[in-house]
């Protein structure tokens, strides 16, 4: 960064000496006012700039058949954004990492195609500069232009050779066709429209070859730029070329600066969009895709199959007995089997649960609520149930509501049912917990794209046997959000029913906001991206439990 600031300072010093008595601030202000007064031309120029990147995106798809246009477009714009905010042209790396993160394409073909096209880009722009202004460009950049062109051609040739070897090994890759070469060259012509239009508005119209020469020289200079976006070096190079063409110093600087600002605004705005669209984002899936698998088929249930209710228990000796005593013996005419998962309680919760008639499954050590729910689901499935119900053991939820919660599963209309406190009756909930639950529910609703989801953290849920068997919980700390995402991603039918709720009068909750978010947010991201191809296909239905 220190080197970048030094380069910027030197470039500014060069510009100040070259401008003499010119008023660059006034020139820039007048130019901006003129552009705002006649926005059609600048809009067309920006459209040509965007079209240049569309051609480059198409070219990459043409040599890398498995790459979709949207992801090619996104990778190029993420790279453009990176080059405008990172020093040393580090954004170049992002075009490759974007594709590798967001698709299932292999590293070799992606790298080979990216190196080939980018090196060809560099060679093309230097050759275009030399052809557009054969007398001017060598004088401005000397032998460096030929050296860069030769280096670009060598690297491009190496990339083609690398690609050829990969093609012979059966990789999904193509060598650049004449159409690809033409698209790469045409893209630079379209990009030069920006400075052509800005110079026209400034009152110093350029010929097509002059605009191409200015664009080419500034791009050549930017290939070795140290500062983010090449600020300073871009303005110095463009001002020098415009000055050599005959544009006055102040107008040359204003044209260069405004052109660079237009390109930078485009890079920041479109690059920011490209980080997230198309899905998956640069960081992977951030919410469930719009298209989900078909609902898994339900198997016939035996007439005597029970409903299994399981309750994770950790130091709930004061409440577990009372909760179990309130559970009915039958649910919708089916016998109710009760399982208590003792998650390493330090009190006599397990003994109290056994006294109340529950089958106790003990962890021995405290592993976390998510682990306890995982154990409870597995044990419940072993009973070959008609339905599985999960219920917190702290007394906040009404055991008498079990018929309502299990009802949609037993009727076959849903596979995963959540008892909603906010659609039902809340007799007492602390204000900060109400607010926290509301905010987290809005988040889960956004993650799942379900407007009918009204309670994302409920401790009362029911599952079909198939949903209980397929359920995966990716962390031990908690289950609420990741379980919902997991089952919806597999296509299971979701429903909510209203339930009653009152705040616990014994014990303490394990939920502390800071720790909860630190554990849950990363787990949600893991769940959204677990076993799901990065290119957008959904993970297989009913994948085996971890």
């Amino acid at each position: 960064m220190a080197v970048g600031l030094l380069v910027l300072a030197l470039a500014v010093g060069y510009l100040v000496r070259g401008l003499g008595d010119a008023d660059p601030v006034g020139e820039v202000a007048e130019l901006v006012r003129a552009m705002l007064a006649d926005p059609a031309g600048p809009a067309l120029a920006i459209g040509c700039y965007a079209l240049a990147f569309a051609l480059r995106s198409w070219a990459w798809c043409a040599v890398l058949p498995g790459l979709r246009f949207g992801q090619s477009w996104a990778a190029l714009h993420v790279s453009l954004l990176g080059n405008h905010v990172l020093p040393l042209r580090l954004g170049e790396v992002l075009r490759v990492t974007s594709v590798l993160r967001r698709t299932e394409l292999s590293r070799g073909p992606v790298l080979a195609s990216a190196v080939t096209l980018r090196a060809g880009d560099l060679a093309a722009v230097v050759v275009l500069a030399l052809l557009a202004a054969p007398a001017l460009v060598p004088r401005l950049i000397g032998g460096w232009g030929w050296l860069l062109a030769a280096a670009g051609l060598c690297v491009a040739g190496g990339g083609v050779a690398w690609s050829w070897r990969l093609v012979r090994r059966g990789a999904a890759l193509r060598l650049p066709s004449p159409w690809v070469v033409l698209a790469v060259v045409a893209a630079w012509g379209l990009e030069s429209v920006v400075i052509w239009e800005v110079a026209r508005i400034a009152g110093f119209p350029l010929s097509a070859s002059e605009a191409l020469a200015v664009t080419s020289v500034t791009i050549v200079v930017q290939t070795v730029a140290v500062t983010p976006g090449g600020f300073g070096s871009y303005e110095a190079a463009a001002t020098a070329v415009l000055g050599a063409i005959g544009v006055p110093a102040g107008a040359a600087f204003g044209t260069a600066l405004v052109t660079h600002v237009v390109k930078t605004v485009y890079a920041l705005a479109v690059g920011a969009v490209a980080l997230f669209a198309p899905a998956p984002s640069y960081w992977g899936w951030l919410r469930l895709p719009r298209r989900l698998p078909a609902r898994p088929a339900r198997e016939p249930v035996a007439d005597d199959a029970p409903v299994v209710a399981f309750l994770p228990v950790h130091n709930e000796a004061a409440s577990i007995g009372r909760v179990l005593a309130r559970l009915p013996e039958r649910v919708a005419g089916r016998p109710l089997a009760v399982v208590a998962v003792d998650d390493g309680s330090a009190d006599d919760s397990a003994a109290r649960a056994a006294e109340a008639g529950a089958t106790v499954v003990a962890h021995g050590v405290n592993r976390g609520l998510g682990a306890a729910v995982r154990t409870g689901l597995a044990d419940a499935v072993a009973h070959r149930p008609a339905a599985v119900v999960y219920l917190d053991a702290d007394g906040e939820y009404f055991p008498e509501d079990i018929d309502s919660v299990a009802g949609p599963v037993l009727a076959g209309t849903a596979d995963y049912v959540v008892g909603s406190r906010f659609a039902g009756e809340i007799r007492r909930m602390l204000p900060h917990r109400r607010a926290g639950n509301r905010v987290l529910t809005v988040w889960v609703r956004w993650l799942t794209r379900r407007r009918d989801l009204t309670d994302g953290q409920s401790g009362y849920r029911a599952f079909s046997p198939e949903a209980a068997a397929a359920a995966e919980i990716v962390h031990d700390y908690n289950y609420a959000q990741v379980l919902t995402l997991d089952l919806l991603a597999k296509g299971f039918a979701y429903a909510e029913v209203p339930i009653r709720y009152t705040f616990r009068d014994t014990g303490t909750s394990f939920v502390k906001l800071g720790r909860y978010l630190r554990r849950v947010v990363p787990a949600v991201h893991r769940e959204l991206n677990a076993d799901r191809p990065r290119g957008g296909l959904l993970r297989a239905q009913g994948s085996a439990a971890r």
Side-chain angles (χ1 to χ4, degrees):
M1 186 60 71
V3 175
L5 292 174
L6 177 61
V7 172
L8 180 61
L10 293 173
V12 171
Y14 167 81
L15 289 171
V16 170
R17 288 196 302 272
L19 293 176
D21 296 330
D23 178 17
V25 176
E27 294 280 357
V28 170
E30 184 177 348
L31 181 52
V32 170
R33 284 194 294 269
M35 291 176 68
L36 294 176
D38 181 19
L44 179 61
I46 294 173
C48 289
Y49 190 51
L51 184 57
F53 280 93
L55 283 178
R56 292 172 182 133
S57 301
W58 173 85
W60 200 357
C61 294
V63 299
L64 192 59
L67 180 62
R68 296 180 180 179
F69 179 85
Q71 289 296 357
S72 175
W73 176 91
L76 293 180
H77 284 88
V78 167
S79 175
L80 183 67
L81 172 66
N83 280 332
H84 278 79
V85 299
L86 299 173
L88 301 172
R89 303 292 293 178
L90 291 177
E92 298 298 330
V93 179
L94 301 184
R95 74 179 61 218
V96 173
T97 58
S98 178
V99 172
L100 293 178
R101 282 171 177 245
R102 301 166 81 165
T103 74
E104 291 297 307
L105 295 174
S106 301
R107 182 174 298 156
V110 172
L111 284 171
S113 59
V115 168
T116 301
L117 290 176
R118 194 61 179 131
D121 242 358
L122 175 61
V125 76
V126 176
V127 171
L128 285 172
L130 295 169
L131 292 175
L136 176 62
V137 173
R139 177 161 57 89
L140 289 172
I141 60 177
W144 287 103
W146 293 109
L147 183 60
L148 284 171
L153 288 172
C154 287
V155 175
V160 170
W162 184 11
S163 298
W164 174 247
R165 287 196 299 272
L166 290 173
V167 169
R168 294 189 64 180
R169 294 174 186 172
L173 193 62
R174 297 183 187 136
L175 299 180
S177 68
W179 290 108
V180 169
V181 175
L182 180 62
V184 169
V185 173
W188 289 118
L190 287 168
E191 187 163 332
S192 67
V193 173
V194 179
I195 199 160
W196 178 87
E197 174 62 18
V198 175
R200 183 192 69 80
I201 294 176
F204 299 94
L206 304 175
S207 67
S209 61
E210 289 171 337
L212 187 57
V214 177
T215 299
S216 301
V217 170
T218 54
I219 295 301
V220 169
V221 170
Q222 281 190 301
T223 59
V224 291
V226 179
T227 58
F231 277 104
S233 54
Y234 180 100
E235 284 73 18
T239 300
V241 181
L242 289 167
I245 292 172
V247 179
F253 174 75
T255 301
L257 180 60
V258 171
T259 301
H260 200 189
V261 168
V262 168
K263 290 184 174 182
T264 299
V265 170
Y266 174 91
L268 297 179
V270 182
V273 172
L275 286 171
F276 299 95
S281 74
Y282 185 80
W283 298 279
W285 291 96
L286 300 180
R287 59 197 303 204
L288 288 180
R290 294 184 184 278
R291 296 181 62 184
L292 297 173
R295 181 183 180 184
R298 293 279 297 269
E299 296 294 330
V301 176
D303 292 339
D304 60 348
V307 172
V308 179
F310 73 91
L311 298 82
V313 181
H314 179 64
N315 296 337
E316 298 288 1
S319 61
I320 183 62
R322 289 186 285 116
V323 171
L324 294 177
R326 292 166 59 189
L327 283 169
E329 294 184 359
R330 304 184 73 83
V331 175
R334 293 182 179 273
L336 178 65
V338 182
V339 177
V341 182
D342 181 50
D343 189 34
S345 296
D347 59 14
D348 60 347
S349 294
R352 296 286 184 89
E355 290 173 1
T359 300
V360 178
V361 178
H363 278 172
V365 296
N366 179 238
R367 291 168 50 190
L369 180 57
V373 173
R374 194 183 304 121
T375 297
L377 287 169
D379 190 86
V381 169
H383 287 75
R384 299 185 179 277
V388 177
V389 177
Y390 160 74
L391 172 63
D392 277 351
D394 54 17
E396 293 185 335
Y397 298 86
F398 286 65
E400 297 83 359
D401 289 339
I402 190 170
D403 281 271
S404 297
V405 177
V409 171
L410 295 173
T413 58
D415 303 297
Y416 177 45
V417 180
V418 172
S420 173
R421 298 165 290 180
F422 296 102
E425 177 186 355
I426 297 178
R427 298 186 179 179
R428 178 171 176 255
M429 182 182 288
L430 298 179
H432 68 281
R433 291 197 178 276
R434 184 187 292 265
N437 273 290
R438 287 288 195 187
V439 170
L440 288 172
T441 295
V442 169
W443 178 48
V444 177
R445 187 182 302 135
W446 180 82
L447 292 172
T448 59
R449 304 179 189 269
R450 294 198 68 105
R451 295 183 179 179
D452 59 341
L453 193 152
T454 64
D455 194 343
Q457 290 69 235
S458 173
Y460 215 156
R461 308 184 184 214
F463 311 81
S464 67
E466 291 77 16
E472 301 174 85
I473 300 172
V474 297
H475 66 150
D476 291 343
Y477 179 75
N478 196 20
Y479 70 93
Q481 297 83 8
V482 296
L483 183 57
T484 296
L485 292 169
D486 174 68
L487 293 178
L488 291 183
K490 291 171 179 172
F492 288 106
Y494 177 83
E496 287 187 358
V497 295
I499 59 171
R500 293 169 288 176
Y501 172 86
T502 187
F503 191 70
R504 64 192 302 158
D505 55 14
T506 62
T508 58
S509 172
F510 77 98
V511 176
K512 300 293 184 290
L513 182 60
R515 181 175 59 178
Y516 189 86
L517 294 178
R518 286 196 304 271
R519 299 284 189 90
V520 169
V521 172
V524 164
H525 185 265
R526 288 200 306 274
E527 172 58 43
L528 286 167
N529 293 277
D531 303 326
R532 184 179 295 125
R534 289 162 287 175
L537 299 176
L538 294 172
R539 63 177 153 192
Q541 299 177 24
S543 58
R546 292 178 179 84

